[in-house]
Amino acid sequence: MKKATSSTFKWLKDIVGLGTILVALVVYFSIRSPNFLTATNFTAIANQIPAALLVAVGMTFVLITAGIDLSVGSLVGLSGAVLGLSIDRIGLPLPIAILACIATGLFCGMINGLVIVRWVLPPFIVTLGMLEVARGATFLLTETRTIYLGSKISKIAGFGIANISVLFIIAIVAVVLGQLVLSRCTFGRYLIAIGSNEQTAYLSGINTSRIKVSVYALSGFLCAMAAVVNTARMASANPNAGTGFELEAIAAVVIGGTSLMGGRGSVINSMLGVLFMAILSSGLSQIGTEEATKRMITGFVIVLAVILDYYRSRITSKG
């Protein structure tokens, strides 16, 4: 009981800390740019981040098990390509095409998990290989051309409430479900146990192999969902879609307090991390920061988040 209360207190402390940083960021950019603190700008941010949110949910689960998934960007690209080809070239109805898209992401994620578990290989190497395989397959399938779909898919993004698209609502539902699974379900407790000490978890009777395969499959599934969202928003399937998503997702999740060492994390906090990255990007653009400088600042933030995670892990292990 005491341990649960302590964990809840730490979680609330992280949320308050992240919330304070977000507010400070908003205040800073509002002072620097008159167009930043407007409903139009925040609506634009809300409609741009659903795909990143979905990928971040899966990445949170993977990192908690002390794994990593570098293939998420390429899986978004490949799943989107399958969606585009299914609609444009094969002529499948939209619901069937979406199922084909989701099956692609799920299958690739499952392959990641099976290879990692079967041959006891580092997730970094396996998912790096999948990154290249999936991106290559995307280029082959699309012949490196964007597939324009127009209203065949963009109508999905047309629904919404008060200028907030249904895509954002879907992403928020995924965040809430992810947090409930992590904090209220046995599956979530198993993830934390594996990330804290996989050998102990195995000796405790947890089927660690099955859980790890499930986590990578779930990550692939959420990448496919992100592909649907991304393709609907852009009304096209771009072979370069999802490029760089892996770094953005890892950065957002680590900024949200999920440890790269495993055993600790929160989906809600990862959502705040995604918001942080989106607000930082929007604010820097509005004050006229050049793209090269934006990338340098983003890189600095990622390194800082990893350093903070390192010291936080050391403090936790000593405690």
Side-chain angles (χ1 to χ4, degrees), residues 94-108:
L94 183 58
I96 305 298
I98 290 176
L99 286 178
C101 167
I102 290 174
T104 301
L106 189 63
F107 175 75
C108 292

Side-chain angles (χ1 to χ4, degrees), residues 16-245:
V16 171
L18 278 168
T20 304
I21 293 171
L22 279 175
V23 170
L25 211 56
V26 169
V27 170
Y28 172 75
F29 286 125
S30 300
I31 294 171
R32 294 288 308 275
S33 170
N35 297 321
F36 185 79
L37 195 61
T38 61
T40 303
N41 187 43
F42 280 92
T43 301
I45 290 174
N47 289 331
Q48 285 173 2
I49 63 172
L53 278 177
L54 289 164
V55 173
V57 173
M59 187 65 78
T60 304
F61 279 41
V62 171
L63 289 188
I64 286 175
T65 64
I68 197 164
D69 189 349
L70 298 179
S71 67
V72 291
S74 294
L75 294 190
V76 170
L78 178 59
S79 302
V82 169
L83 177 62
L85 290 169
S86 299
I87 295 172
D88 188 62
R89 307 276 173 80
I90 304 176
L92 292 178
L94 183 58
I96 305 298
I98 290 176
L99 286 178
C101 167
I102 290 174
T104 301
L106 189 63
F107 175 75
C108 292
M110 195 176 295
I111 292 296
N112 273 339
L114 287 172
V115 173
I116 289 168
V117 168
R118 175 65 179 81
W119 285 283
V120 198
L121 294 174
F124 175 86
I125 300 298
V126 175
T127 57
L128 184 63
M130 180 60 82
L131 178 154
E132 289 296 327
V133 170
R135 186 61 68 185
T138 304
F139 288 152
L140 282 174
L141 286 172
T142 61
E143 298 174 342
T144 327
R145 296 174 185 169
T146 298
I147 303 169
Y148 294 99
L149 301 170
S151 60
K152 295 174 185 174
I153 183 98
S154 64
K155 57 188 176 185
I156 297 177
F159 298 100
I161 302 170
N163 292 329
I164 300 297
S165 76
V166 70
L167 306 179
F168 180 76
I169 297 169
I170 290 171
I172 293 298
V173 170
V175 168
V176 173
L177 289 177
Q179 183 62 42
L180 288 174
V181 168
L182 192 58
S183 59
R184 303 290 181 187
C185 296
T186 304
F187 183 74
R189 290 194 289 274
Y190 283 175
L191 299 185
I192 294 171
I194 291 172
S196 300
N197 190 320
E198 185 173 347
Q199 186 66 19
T200 302
Y202 175 76
L203 293 174
S204 300
I206 298 174
N207 190 331
T208 55
S209 297
R210 184 182 298 172
I211 297 293
K212 288 171 72 174
V213 172
S214 302
V215 165
Y216 285 94
L218 179 63
S219 178
F221 168 79
L222 288 167
C223 286
M225 290 289 291
V228 175
V229 165
N230 206 42
T231 306
R233 192 170 71 85
M234 305 303 291
S236 61
N238 187 324
N240 291 306
T243 301
F245 262 35

